Amino acid sequence: MAGSVTGVAVPKHSLSKLQSLNGLFAIYKKEGPTSADVLNSLKETLLKEAGVKDPNPRKRKKQALKMGHGGTLDSAASGVLVVGIGNGTKMLSTMLAGSKKYLAVGELGKATDTLDATGKVVHEKLYDHITREAFEEKLKQFTGDIMQVPPLYSALKKDGKRLSVLLKQGHEVEAKPARPVTVYNLSLQDFTPPLFTLDVECGGGFYIRSLVDDLGKALSSCAHVRKLIRTKQGQFTLDDHTLQEEHWTLQHIVQSMQPCPGSEVTKEDGTKPNKTWKQLEM
């Protein structure tokens, strides 16, 4: 049990216990902060729990806690953010390249410079000619192995700097060339013009904002993303695996973490997780 000194609780877990963790787990990213901000907030919360005074999660050298995330979510997006801790950070490349699922709400008739609702409207076009049948027919063109041009406002870099940062600083930025991406499943869940809802399963490097923008153009109109939720990444799902902010504790992470191959994790009750990384990866 955690002890106390003069009425102040003493952290039950030491920093060494936290640093001994090696694996992957998922947290919930809310709308607003960047993925990096959310990761730093998580690190700060865990370091404080471990008894570290005035932790600086953004410190690059001699980090007290090795942690990274497996794929950037836009600031305006929410949902599953996979986190690697310790040697688990070496597994994050699998998350970046692996399958992801999204629920996207788009709006027809308006295009923005960022391709989502955070940007400035740059085009407006009629959309009353678009039927549900025509929309679903166009989706077939964006399923399978396709070529896609990434958004200008993105985490992609030029000369070491993110394109989104360069644009905000007033620099001119050229669009990156189209690149091959994969869409495994794409379906229209709701069609209430000007709004529509897509269920998307895709591979790594795919941008939902570009998909919605391209769809709008293909339908002789324009469109942007109003809301974006990542519902699954790899084996981690929004409903079953993500830790809400109030559960960002060592105990909850140990209980939900999938350890790296060859490593074991002991839960608070002395038992070990039921599944290994290899079992879940299949």
Side-chain angles (χ1 to χ4, degrees), residues 182-199:
T182 302
V183 180
Y184 301 109
N185 290 292
L186 178 59
S187 61
L188 182 62
Q189 298 296 304
D190 184 68
F191 186 69
T192 313
L195 301 182
F196 60 91
T197 302
L198 298 174
D199 189 17

Side-chain angles (χ1 to χ4, degrees), residues 21-23 66 85-91 260:
L21 298 181
N22 297 285
K66 187 179 181 183
I85 187 170
N87 289 334
T89 55
K90 299 175 182 178
M91 308 293 294
C260 297

